[in-house]
Amino acid sequence: MAKLNITICGCGNGAHACAALISNQGHDVNIYSPIQKEIDRFIKAGNYKLDAILPDKSEITTKLNIITSDASEVIPDSSIIFIIVPSFAHENVLRNISEYVSEDSLIVTIPTRSGFEFEAANILPKCNIIGLQTLPWACRIEEFGKRVNIIGKKIEMQAGSLPATISTILLYEVEKLLDIKFSIVKSMLTLTLGNVGQIIHPGIMYGIFGENGDVKFKENDIPLFYQSVDEDIAKILKILSDEIQDVTNKLYENNNEVVDPSEVLTIEEWILQSYGDQIQDKSSLAKMFSTNAAYQGLKAPVKKVEGDLYVPDFRTRYVLEDIPYGLLIIKSIADIVDVKTPQIDKVVNTLGILAGENYMELYESANKIAQISRLPISYGIKTMEDMENIYL
Ligand code: NAI
């Protein structure tokens, strides 16, 4: 492959991993973030040198090209722009780069989570966009701007695009760069529906703490997360998954071009496909979680309160990312096609209240005001630039 100029938007774990792996292939890799403070910190820490520990424990040292908080310095000349930030940050990044992208730009968002396509189509209507179902790497920054540990790497994952008819050459090029086999899905809607984190994380949080949100425990009694999945919690996960399948089937019934139900995996299909031999006992969904080697020992999210006591932490990404950028999107699509989702509603409502974000109430208010008003926000108009696009 010829030497490419590539920009990675983000300075988190995934951005560090991606930057090191791609730079190691000899491409010019830039780092962009609209947050000036972290860009200053990034440059100071590593002085453009970025090390990575690979899954086989070998180490690489790479050199970065431009590191900047000024999108105009890097975006116009980049042949591929990766966006690797948590979903709540997608909008900020998209808006900051929007002025500098063109119809030729290729944007790759990893991972998209649910509903990314709505934001992207609204802010960057003319770009070629590829989205991946999840981050290909399990990775943690060891020293910000300097060193990242890439603990594991997935072999295959779903990729979707906007427009759905994007050239296969572009998909092939990104597949080669990331060294991952793409399973190309019908449309980005598949990624929205098949975002399995939205089932697992809120489902288990609800199962463990939904009825006892004010529980306190000592350090030794902090519950395990995935290994807490018993028959009751597995049932909740299965119903959440079934409700998403109901929405998928109804969308397919309405128009068989928008989604292929066989691409939206059920929770059982997903766990078997993802972890296969790492699961000791495949006799039930509960056992697939509790005997999964990849999940051993991982604790539920908690925060320390008085003395040596801990309480569940509901302001974790398992709630704050997987509900508003996950289950709540499914709920709103379900409403459009008139499918009832009582278990999703219960999980969203309970965890929203426990996290101090009453998602269900906010969702209902947003729908109500949209019906009796013409608020700009209902049409994606949030900034002066959005206004200018209409009037000028
Ligand atoms: P991270 O938390 O390390 O990313 C933080 C970075 O996001 C910040 O350094 C900043 O560059 C950017 N950011 C945060 N708020 C922003 C804002 N308001 N505006 C602009 N940029 C902002 O996240 P990480 O670990 O890189 O994960 C990225 C995504 O991948 C998340 O959705 C995460 O759930 C998912 N994921 C991560 C895995 C991992 O091993 N790290 C594994 C599987 C999925």
Side-chain angles (χ1 to χ4, degrees), residues 11-14 38 86 89 92 111 113 135 137-140 317 321:
C11 291
N13 301 297
E38 69 175 1
N92 193 22
R113 300 298 188 217
L135 199 72
W137 318 282
C139 50
R140 292 288 175 272
R317 283 203 191 152
E321 183 166 42

Side-chain angles (χ1 to χ4, degrees), residues 112-242:
T112 55
R113 300 298 188 217
S114 299
F116 173 75
E117 60 275 27
F118 308 143
E119 225 164 33
N122 182 39
I123 302 171
L124 305 179
K126 291 189 188 121
C127 287
N128 292 306
I129 301 177
I130 293 174
L132 299 193
Q133 184 63 276
T134 185
L135 199 72
W137 318 282
C139 50
R140 292 288 175 272
I141 292 171
E142 286 212 330
E143 255 184 282
F144 186 86
K146 212 169 172 183
R147 190 175 166 83
V148 59
N149 187 359
I150 305 171
I151 305 148
K153 175 175 173 286
K154 296 203 170 58
I155 298 162
E156 184 171 348
M157 75 177 44
Q158 288 187 325
S161 66
L162 258 191
T165 51
I166 204 170
S167 154
T168 46
I169 295 171
L170 296 179
L171 283 154
Y172 175 68
E173 200 162 308
V174 177
E175 193 178 28
K176 239 175 43 189
L177 256 181
L178 295 175
D179 187 27
I180 281 158
K181 189 171 168 347
F182 283 176
S183 155
I184 296 162
V185 295
K186 193 150 202 165
S187 75
M188 269 209 195
L189 181 55
T190 313
L191 304 185
T192 285
L193 297 161
N195 162 13
V196 80
Q198 69 193 344
I199 300 175
I200 296 176
H201 301 139
I204 300 179
M205 284 297 279
Y206 175 81
I208 307 179
F209 302 123
E211 280 173 12
N212 55 343
D214 51 6
V215 63
K216 289 188 180 142
F217 16 64
K218 294 225 160 105
E219 192 171 355
N220 286 341
D221 301 326
I222 296 170
L224 292 166
F225 192 67
Y226 300 99
Q227 287 166 279
S228 288
V229 177
D230 55 14
E231 293 302 329
D232 289 337
I233 298 181
K235 202 166 151 203
I236 295 168
L237 299 180
K238 170 97 176 57
I239 301 173
L240 291 173
S241 173
D242 287 348

Side-chain angles (χ1 to χ4, degrees), residues 248-294:
T248 306
N249 291 331
K250 189 68 181 287
L251 288 161
Y252 179 74
E253 245 173 67
N254 278 296
N255 183 339
N256 64 14
E257 287 300 312
V258 293
V259 68
D260 174 351
S262 71
E263 293 175 346
V264 179
L265 304 184
T266 64
I267 183 77
E268 285 102 337
E269 286 169 339
W270 178 84
I271 196 167
L272 285 170
Q273 198 182 87
S274 307
Y275 294 104
D277 290 346
Q278 297 187 64
I279 303 171
Q280 227 177 64
D281 181 347
K282 297 177 183 160
S283 61
S284 71
L285 182 59
K287 293 274 187 249
M288 291 185 217
F289 274 92
S290 59
T291 70
N292 186 337

